[in-house]
Amino acid sequence: MPRAARPPHMTNGVACDRNLAWDGCVNVRDLGGLGDMTPGAVIRMDEPTTLTEAGWAAAWEHGVRTIVDLRDPCERTSDRAHRPDGIATVPVPVEPVGTPFHDRWQRIDGLASPLHYTAMLDEHPHAVVAAVRAVATAAPGGVAIHCAAGKDRTGLVTLVLLAFAGATADEICADYLLSYGRLQPRFDAENPGEGVRDQLTAVTGLLADHGTTIEESIAATVAHLRMPDFLLEGGLPKSGLAALRRRLTG
């Protein structure tokens, strides 16, 4: 029987919006309340290099003490404002640049949709599990994970974390879809005067050409995951499973 929809997560009995307004970033949200995920445990976001001092202060106030950076080293740029000394940064590149997988999927979907997720889990599971391990072994405090836009590499790692935490495919998909509206102004600003196509429309059309939808792709990826075998076979030790569960669900 499908799991009943959950109410919004609560703080002191008050429903809380998972969306976080951190100055300088546009796609930040707390995963708390999805599945059994504890509020404040994991935050997904676009690259924090554009955060202002006020944005970093908001991240600190929210409890973030570790940033897991999923970008390739060549993508990294200097921070706009000082990153607090008490926030550790752990680089864990996820995209297998220079591999046949990367070349193939760059041609198919630009690695910018959930169409490639299941293939990524099958062909490069260790890269994804390395990011999960970074979350599990982080120092006390909240963990923020990001790539560039915080949509697809972050979306895949988020999917694995949320599936482990018991979130449904519908919850995971609804969270993934939130990124499109938040990111569209950024895409428009980066391509002024070029009539940038609505990103959600573009991805929806791409997947339709492959006979599927965003919802179906994410549901298929969640169904394909075998937990905890995927994590164990990808290199997470049994002790890491316990640490991950404590991190995500308190």
Side-chain angles (χ1 to χ4, degrees):
M1 179 178 296
R3 179 180 295 175
R6 298 178 181 85
H9 77 253
M10 311 289 286
T11 299
N12 296 326
V14 179
C16 298
D17 186 354
R18 294 191 302 109
N19 184 59
L20 300 172
W22 294 355
D23 189 41
C25 284
V26 298
N27 191 27
V28 189
R29 55 191 178 275
D30 194 317
L31 298 180
L34 302 179
D36 298 320
M37 187 78 74
T38 299
V42 181
I43 294 88
R44 64 179 295 171
M45 66 184 302
D46 44 329
E47 56 190 347
T49 51
T50 54
L51 284 174
T52 64
E53 288 187 10
W56 280 115
W60 180 270
E61 180 66 22
H62 197 74
V64 171
R65 296 297 181 267
T66 302
I67 301 279
V68 176
D69 185 349
L70 307 178
R71 297 173 300 171
D72 194 69
C74 68
E75 297 178 76
R76 296 172 194 155
T77 57
S78 299
D79 289 343
R80 173 180 173 184
H82 177 68
R83 187 173 300 213
D85 295 333
I87 295 181
T89 302
V90 182
V92 189
V94 166
E95 210 163 83
V97 176
T99 65
F101 171 92
H102 188 268
D103 294 343
R104 181 171 76 254
W105 282 98
Q106 276 286 3
R107 293 191 299 270
I108 296 171
D109 76 343
L111 293 157
S113 88
L115 188 63
H116 71 277
Y117 280 7
T118 299
M120 177 70 181
L121 295 179
D122 283 346
E123 298 182 43
H124 293 279
H126 290 82
V128 178
V129 175
V132 172
R133 186 188 305 116
V135 173
T137 60
V143 179
I145 58 175
H146 75 90
C147 48
K151 181 171 73 71
D152 284 297
R153 284 168 288 185
T154 300
L156 179 56
V157 174
T158 292
L159 181 152
V160 173
L161 293 172
L162 287 173
F164 183 80
T168 66
D170 286 346
E171 287 177 306
I172 294 169
C173 186
D175 178 69
Y176 172 84
L177 288 168
L178 290 174
S179 290
Y180 286 95
R182 287 157 170 74
L183 289 169
Q184 191 62 43
R186 169 177 160 172
F187 287 125
D188 292 342
E190 291 174 352
N191 300 274
E194 296 183 19
V196 178
R197 187 180 179 191
D198 175 83
Q199 296 299 302
L200 180 57
T201 300
V203 172
T204 298
L206 172 71
L207 269 64
D209 290 343
H210 288 83
T212 188
T213 65
I214 291 174
E215 293 82 358
E216 289 170 352
S217 293
I218 288 179
T221 305
V222 174
H224 187 72
L225 271 173
R226 295 175 298 110
M227 289 294 191
D229 292 351
F230 171 77
L231 297 175
L232 293 170
E233 293 169 5
L236 188 70
K238 288 185 178 180
S239 60
L241 287 178
L244 182 63
R245 191 167 301 282
R246 288 193 299 271
R247 162 75 58 185
L248 302 186
T249 67

